[in-house]
DNA sequence: GCGATCAGAT
DNA sequence: CACATCTGATCGC
């Protein structure tokens, strides 16, 4: 029987070593402050953010892996009791602060888990990541690639974030008398906000918990929780709605919203009972990838600023690696496409994947039936008797859990993030 | 009361 | 249809 050795972004089942790619909630489902199943490997920045995300967590479980480094981890086969040496290389994913890829190499073969990643064309951090990756592989074949396929569809084509950030600055600068709200989540898009702050020589308001994160990341001077100091506020995404903007324009003054996102947002009517409009995914927007800055509404702009790689960037990584096998880590995307569909032919005769189905290998067949679910975590099991890619047996558990309760209460201040009465 | 989980929202 | 996250409800301890 195969045994659980390594888990990546997967926390429910026994494993000898757990790896966290980044701290977004869909990669930490199953983690909690009481979790203590084993050593948890992460990047230095994730380590720094961890206590605020999971207060009370036993921090002695954390093992920090420096970005660009390769570490040896000794695990033990529970079937043969033999020692298994795992070499793990930690690579900058350039997705959100602390986000990394993990490359595992050993007698079992080589596996790359990209986690969520954005390697913008011509970006320095992306190039450094590629260099670290290729140096670590040192000419060896990659047996299995688990890749961020969020935007694995040729319709998705967005500019490097540096370009999109300029567009955000331009929109703000062309509304000199407006208040601005920019939608962000709990982690990510700091580079955009820092760029805006520097370009326009202003501070940016964030909600109190987010300000704490900014301080941990070393951006304390740029952000404030005093609304009197700036006209630009970064708010949780669920507060950047048409309703909110209409209300702000009515009761406060001219305000526009900016959604930095790679998704094809559009406007749709609300359901019959309710009046007004809401933001939703609009597939027809996919046809028009000529403009990466779009006015969705009188008060709302959408900029194609994405922390996930677009199609061409996914293609570039797969072309470099030509893995023997691969899978996407995201299956909940509304336009989910198995990367094999587009890139299987790049990966040689051993790929053995039927383009019309997601995979043809028995090892992962049970995974496929849950493709409609959301998942992002993986277990790597080692099969002692085989050596190549087929030595890896994989499973995942589809979960979409929410952290609630105390964390919820602690963060409830966020819901008045767009008012000015919470200093 | 708290954590886990689900339904539903943007 | 949602990059990730929030709210509310329920259930069992």
């Amino acid at each position: 029987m195969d045994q659980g050795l390594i888990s990546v972004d997967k926390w429910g089942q026994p494993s000898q070593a757990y790896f966290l790619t980044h701290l977004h909630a869909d990669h930490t489902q199953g983690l909690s402050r009481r979790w203590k199943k084993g050593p948890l490997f992460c990047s230095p920045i994730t380590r720094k953010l961890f206590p605020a995300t999971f207060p009370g967590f036993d921090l002695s479980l954390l093992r920090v892996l420096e970005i660009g480094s390769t570490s040896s981890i000794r695990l033990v086969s529970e079937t043969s009791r033999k020692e298994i040496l795992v070499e793990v290389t930690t690579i900058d994913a350039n997705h959100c602060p602390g986000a990394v890829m993990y490359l595992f190499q050993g007698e079992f073969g080589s596996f790359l888990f990209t986690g969520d990643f954005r390697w913008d064309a011509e970006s320095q951090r992306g190039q450094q990541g590629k260099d670290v990756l290729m140096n670590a592989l040192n000419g060896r074949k990659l047996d299995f690639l688990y890749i961020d396929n969020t935007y694995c569809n040729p319709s998705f084509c967005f500019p490097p974030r540096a370009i999109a950030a300029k567009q955000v600055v331009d929109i703000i600068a062309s509304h000199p008398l407006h208040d601005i709200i920019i939608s962000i989540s709990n982690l990510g898009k700091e580079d955009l906000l820092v760029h805006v702050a520097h370009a326009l020589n202003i501070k940016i308001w964030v909600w109190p918990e987010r300000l704490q994160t900014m301080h941990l990341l070393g951006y304390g001077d740029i952000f404030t929780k005093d609304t009197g100091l700036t006209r630009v506020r970064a708010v949780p995404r669920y507060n950047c709605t048409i309703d909110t903007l209409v209300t702000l324009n009515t009761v406060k003054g001219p305000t526009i919203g900016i959604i930095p996102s790679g998704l094809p947002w559009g406007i749709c009517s609300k359901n019959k009972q309710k009046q007004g409009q809401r933001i939703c995914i609009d597939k027809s927007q996919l046809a028009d990838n000529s403009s990466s800055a779009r006015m969705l509404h009188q008060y709302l702009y959408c900029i194609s600023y994405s922390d996930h790689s677009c199609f061409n960037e996914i293609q570039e990584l797969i072309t470099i690696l030509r893995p023997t096998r691969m899978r996407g880590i995201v299956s909940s995307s509304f336009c989910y496409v198995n990367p094999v569909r587009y890139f299987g032919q790049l990966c040689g005769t051993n790929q053995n994947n039927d383009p019309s189905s997601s995979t043809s290998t028995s090892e992962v067949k049970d995974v496929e039936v849950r493709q409609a679910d959301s998942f992002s975590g993986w277990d790597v099991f080692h099969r002692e008797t085989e050596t190549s890619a087929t030595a890896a047996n994989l499973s995942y558990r589809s979960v979409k859990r929410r952290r609630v309760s105390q964390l919820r209460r602690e963060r409830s201040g966020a819901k008045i993030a767009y008012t000015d009465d919470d200093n």
Side-chain angles (χ1 to χ4, degrees), chain A residues 90-194:
Chain A
T90 305
I91 303 158
D92 185 0
N94 203 7
H95 167 66
C96 69
V100 289
M101 306 180 178
Y102 294 112
L103 172 68
F104 300 100
Q105 299 186 92
E107 62 180 47
F108 47 83
S110 57
F111 298 78
L112 176 65
F113 293 76
T114 68
D116 291 346
F117 81 102
R118 178 86 201 265
W119 282 356
D120 312 52
E122 297 169 31
S123 85
Q124 194 180 356
R125 286 179 62 180
Q127 189 55 52
Q128 287 170 349
K130 282 170 215 166
D131 292 344
V132 170
L133 173 59
M134 300 316 285
N135 284 340
L137 275 170
N138 194 24
R140 281 182 289 273
K141 182 84 174 167
L142 184 67
D143 294 306
F144 217 124
L145 171 64
Y146 296 84
I147 189 166
D148 176 10
N149 59 314
T150 303
Y151 292 125
C152 188
N153 182 309
S155 302
F156 289 115
C157 175
F158 13 81
R161 281 172 290 194
I163 303 294
K166 282 199 182 77
Q167 294 170 337
V168 172
V169 169
D170 289 345
I171 288 174
I172 298 173
S174 66
H175 294 78
L177 302 178
H178 280 70
D179 276 5
I180 313 288
I181 61 174
I182 303 173
S183 72
I184 60 170
S185 57
N186 287 355
L187 189 62
K189 304 211 161 67
E190 291 77 9
D191 291 347
L192 169 63
L193 300 179
V194 168

Side-chain angles (χ1 to χ4, degrees), chain A residues 171-172 175 178-183 239-259 267 277 279 294-303:
Chain A
I171 288 174
I172 298 173
H175 294 78
H178 280 70
D179 276 5
I180 313 288
I181 61 174
I182 303 173
S183 72
N239 276 335
C240 191
T241 64
I242 303 289
D243 279 352
T244 299
L245 285 162
V246 168
T247 303
L248 286 171
N249 276 276
T250 304
V251 305
K252 275 202 70 186
T255 306
I256 59 167
I258 298 173
I259 300 176
I267 299 289
Q277 298 170 309
I279 307 160
R294 288 181 295 114
M295 194 170 195
L296 293 189
H297 177 273
Q298 179 185 3
Y299 302 136
L300 188 59
Y301 293 83
C302 185
I303 307 293

Side-chain angles (χ1 to χ4, degrees), chain A residues 89-387:
Chain A
T89 302
T90 305
I91 303 158
D92 185 0
N94 203 7
H95 167 66
C96 69
V100 289
M101 306 180 178
Y102 294 112
L103 172 68
F104 300 100
Q105 299 186 92
E107 62 180 47
F108 47 83
S110 57
F111 298 78
L112 176 65
F113 293 76
T114 68
D116 291 346
F117 81 102
R118 178 86 201 265
W119 282 356
D120 312 52
E122 297 169 31
S123 85
Q124 194 180 356
R125 286 179 62 180
Q127 189 55 52
Q128 287 170 349
K130 282 170 215 166
D131 292 344
V132 170
L133 173 59
M134 300 316 285
N135 284 340
L137 275 170
N138 194 24
R140 281 182 289 273
K141 182 84 174 167
L142 184 67
D143 294 306
F144 217 124
L145 171 64
Y146 296 84
I147 189 166
D148 176 10
N149 59 314
T150 303
Y151 292 125
C152 188
N153 182 309
S155 302
F156 289 115
C157 175
F158 13 81
R161 281 172 290 194
I163 303 294
K166 282 199 182 77
Q167 294 170 337
V168 172
V169 169
D170 289 345
I171 288 174
I172 298 173
S174 66
H175 294 78
L177 302 178
H178 280 70
D179 276 5
I180 313 288
I181 61 174
I182 303 173
S183 72
I184 60 170
S185 57
N186 287 355
L187 189 62
K189 304 211 161 67
E190 291 77 9
D191 291 347
L192 169 63
L193 300 179
V194 168
H195 179 82
V196 166
H198 283 153
L200 299 173
N201 192 30
I202 51 174
K203 287 180 180 287
I204 295 179
W205 181 96
V206 290
W207 62 99
E209 294 83 357
R210 199 62 162 89
L211 185 62
Q212 181 191 13
T213 302
M214 296 303 192
H215 279 288
L216 290 170
L217 294 171
Y219 297 131
D221 295 345
I222 294 169
F223 298 94
T224 178
K225 57 177 178 175
D226 181 350
T227 50
L229 291 183
T230 179
R231 66 187 181 97
V232 178
R233 305 195 293 282
V235 304
R237 183 174 39 194
Y238 57 91
N239 276 335
C240 191
T241 64
I242 303 289
D243 279 352
T244 299
L245 285 162
V246 168
T247 303
L248 286 171
N249 276 276
T250 304
V251 305
K252 275 202 70 186
T255 306
I256 59 167
I258 298 173
I259 300 176
S261 169
L263 285 169
W265 294 107
I267 299 289
C268 23
S269 300
K270 282 189 170 175
N271 57 35
K272 294 110 191 165
Q273 290 88 2
K274 293 184 179 177
Q275 297 292 311
Q277 298 170 309
R278 65 184 181 86
I279 307 160
C280 63
I281 296 296
D282 178 2
K283 271 190 173 177
S284 70
Q285 299 291 344
L286 283 173
D288 174 23
N289 54 24
S290 58
S291 57
S292 54
R294 288 181 295 114
M295 194 170 195
L296 293 189
H297 177 273
Q298 179 185 3
Y299 302 136
L300 188 59
Y301 293 83
C302 185
I303 307 293
S304 297
Y305 185 104
S306 172
D307 285 331
H308 296 268
S309 290
C310 66
F311 185 80
N312 288 342
E313 293 155 359
I314 293 170
Q315 179 172 44
E316 190 198 349
L317 180 58
I318 293 173
T319 302
I320 292 171
L321 293 171
R322 295 181 187 268
T324 305
R325 293 176 61 201
M326 65 179 150
R327 281 191 58 82
I329 62 169
V330 177
S331 66
S332 64
S333 176
F334 72 96
C335 65
Y336 171 78
V337 175
N338 188 309
V340 172
R341 180 183 190 88
Y342 287 109
F343 305 123
Q345 80 285 351
L346 289 177
C347 300
T349 54
N350 288 336
Q351 182 69 15
N352 193 27
N353 273 295
D354 176 0
S356 67
S357 68
S358 298
T359 179
S360 62
T361 55
S362 60
E363 287 96 332
V364 291
K365 197 138 198 168
D366 59 331
V367 170
E368 293 305 320
V369 299
R370 305 198 213 169
Q371 205 170 70
D373 296 334
S374 166
F375 68 98
S376 58
W378 299 94
D379 268 358
V380 179
F381 295 90
H382 184 232
R383 181 174 296 163
E384 307 287 338
T385 54
E386 301 180 38
T387 52

